[in-house]
Amino acid sequence: MRTQVGILGAGPAGLLLSHLLARAGIDSVVLEVRSREYVQHRVRAGVLEHPTVELLREVGLADRLDREGMPHEGVSLRFEGVDHRIDFIDLVGRGITVYGQQEVVKDLIAARLAAGGDLRFEVSDVALSGLADAPVISYTGPDGARHELRCDVVAGCDGFHGISRAAYRPEVFDREYPYAWLGILAKAAPTRHELAYASHDNGFALYSMRSPEITRLYLQVPPDTDVADWPDSRIWDELGTRLAADGFTLNEGPVLEKGVTGMRSFVAEPMRHGRLFLAGDAAHIVPPTGAKGMNLAIADVRVLAEALTAWFAGGGETGLDAYSDTCLRRVWRAEHFSWWMTSMLHNSPDGDPFTRRLQLSQLRYTVASRAAATSLAENYTGLPHGGGC
């Protein structure tokens, strides 16, 4: 078999890349080790930056997003029992949209299949060779047969634990944080229409939502936390304590999902090796506090699609050669913003009072200074794709 671009991973990065390439008349095959059912229902981030929403609209993938997404014009920083709203529209003239990553994936899969694109789930034993100039992807199909896919380029969109990054030895920058998030999905109508980031003496909490009927909530916990130690009643009590503010009420309801997520920052440089190009979580991870993970992946593939389109049209390798540096400028800006939000909002495990007072000082400054609030709003709503930061 042969195609122009072999894409590993059917997450937002790989699926959107296949769509962007198809619009330019470039063939691709998408390979995914998980089942379609799995990738369409794994709950991930739900905040879409303004440039992400604009891109999905531009390429005709935002019909359901525009119907069901929840536009937000700001967020709140909540500390010392007081809610402080950061008004995105006033500060930078744009907002964000809450729309679950799994919903984006469903839309992308539907568009890919409707267009007759080649999308293969439940492959295994994937291996790469010939990456210098003639890539080959070998894999076992669901029927147990072995296949070889020859391509001009491989896009490694297969996540942090995929095989793409392991195919070469990039320089790695890594930081693990001494706390995690205990997250729940609850069948409880949101009582407010925007996210609230709470800094409390007991630890961080986040109030968010996935739909008019479903709330998504998080608590800072130690990385070694056992979910079994957190029955629903304890979670609701702690959320009530950390999120408390004048005029705020917390709806409780059945907990649909519960899990602990560790937090890390990770960047692999460069994001290119021969004819292999990494995108999304295969190349970088951010702590979720800044809501940047899926948005970075989408920014990566936009840059990659433009570079590949020029190359296949005979325009040379300038865009491909610049791909890694172009993406990494935005990646490192997002890494810094996510680290800053994380450091400002999460209590240190040792309860250091000096650090706590620094955090409160930063929070007070951020909500009191228009310049500081504007910086938060600019980064949170999304910087331009393709560099410029």
Side-chain angles (χ1 to χ4, degrees):
M1 292 179 51
R2 177 162 183 81
T3 190
Q4 289 173 287
V5 181
I7 300 174
L8 300 180
L15 291 167
L16 181 58
L17 178 61
S18 72
H19 186 83
L20 296 175
L21 294 175
R23 284 169 54 87
I26 299 169
D27 294 331
S28 65
V29 175
V30 181
L31 303 174
E32 170 59 50
V33 299
R34 303 283 193 171
S35 69
R36 179 178 176 180
E37 177 74 11
Y38 179 88
V39 300
Q40 288 191 155
H41 291 92
R42 58 183 168 188
V43 177
R44 293 291 187 271
V47 172
L48 304 187
E49 294 176 346
H50 178 76
T52 295
V53 173
E54 290 298 292
L55 175 60
L56 293 174
R57 287 175 178 154
E58 177 187 327
V59 300
L61 294 171
D63 288 350
R64 197 162 69 93
L65 164 62
D66 285 333
R67 290 196 311 270
E68 302 177 15
M70 304 172 71
H72 289 200
E73 297 183 347
V75 296
S76 290
L77 297 180
R78 186 173 295 179
F79 57 96
E80 299 177 312
V82 179
D83 202 64
H84 305 267
R85 185 169 183 266
I86 306 296
D87 189 330
F88 294 157
I89 304 301
D90 174 56
L91 294 166
V92 295
R94 60 182 185 267
I96 55 96
T97 300
V98 171
Y99 188 66
Q101 176 173 315
Q102 71 274 18
E103 304 305 322
V104 175
V105 168
K106 290 175 188 175
D107 295 342
L108 290 169
I109 289 175
R112 174 77 178 172
L113 296 178
D118 199 332
L119 173 54
R120 306 179 182 199
F121 293 99
E122 298 182 82
V123 305
S124 59
D125 302 319
V126 182
L128 297 174
S129 59
L131 295 175
D133 53 11
V136 177
I137 306 173
S138 57
Y139 65 94
T140 300
D143 60 355
R146 196 69 181 162
H147 302 272
E148 283 193 351
L149 177 63
R150 300 180 181 276
C151 39
D152 298 304
V153 167
V154 174
C157 307
D158 50 347
F160 184 76
H161 299 290
I163 68 160
S164 297
R165 191 177 64 253
Y168 69 113
R169 295 182 179 275
E171 184 175 7
V172 167
F173 302 86
D174 196 6
R175 170 170 294 181
E176 292 192 22
Y177 294 86
Y179 25 74
W181 279 9
L182 170 62
I184 67 166
L185 201 66
K187 189 174 182 180
T191 57
R192 53 178 289 127
H193 67 280
E194 292 178 344
L195 281 69
Y197 289 78
S199 176
H200 188 273
D201 288 344
N202 287 12
F204 168 77
L206 172 61
Y207 184 93
S208 65
M209 60 290 298
R210 286 294 176 268
S211 76
E213 297 81 30
I214 302 294
T215 49
R216 183 73 164 159
L217 304 117
Y218 298 94
L219 290 168
Q220 175 188 345
V221 294
D224 59 355
T225 294
D226 185 346
V227 174
D229 293 334
W230 283 85
D232 294 359
S233 58
R234 182 185 178 192
I235 292 173
W236 288 116
D237 286 346
E238 191 61 25
L239 284 168
T241 297
R242 298 189 194 183
L243 290 169
D246 289 343
F248 174 74
T249 58
L250 177 65
N251 276 349
E252 298 183 14
V255 174
L256 306 176
E257 291 186 13
K258 186 188 306 185
V260 174
T261 302
M263 302 179 68
R264 74 187 308 163
S265 296
F266 177 93
V267 181
E269 294 187 10
M271 293 169 58
R272 177 187 183 182
H273 174 68
R275 295 286 181 85
L276 168 67
F277 296 82
L278 302 186
D281 287 359
H284 40 73
I285 297 286
V286 289
T289 326
K292 293 285 162 251
M294 176 170 56
N295 295 290
L296 280 180
I298 287 174
D300 288 347
V301 297
R302 182 177 197 166
V303 174
L304 181 56
E306 291 173 356
L308 288 171
T309 298
W311 182 59
F312 280 115
E317 296 200 17
T318 301
L320 296 180
D321 291 340
Y323 169 72
S324 182
D325 288 343
T326 299
C327 290
L328 285 169
R329 283 198 298 272
R330 197 176 197 277
V331 167
W332 278 112
R333 176 86 295 274
E335 290 284 357
H336 182 273
F337 176 68
S338 299
W339 164 83
W340 177 75
M341 288 280 287
T342 301
S343 302
M344 178 173 65
L345 290 163
H346 291 74
N347 294 1
S348 59
D350 60 4
D352 176 33
F354 184 83
T355 300
R356 181 63 182 150
R357 281 159 177 75
L358 289 178
Q359 290 174 321
L360 291 172
S361 175
Q362 181 63 58
L363 285 163
R364 295 180 191 124
Y365 174 67
T366 300
V367 301
S369 163
R370 186 174 180 87
T374 299
S375 178
L376 188 156
E378 182 179 52
N379 282 272
Y380 198 98
T381 59
L383 295 164
H385 294 169
C389 44

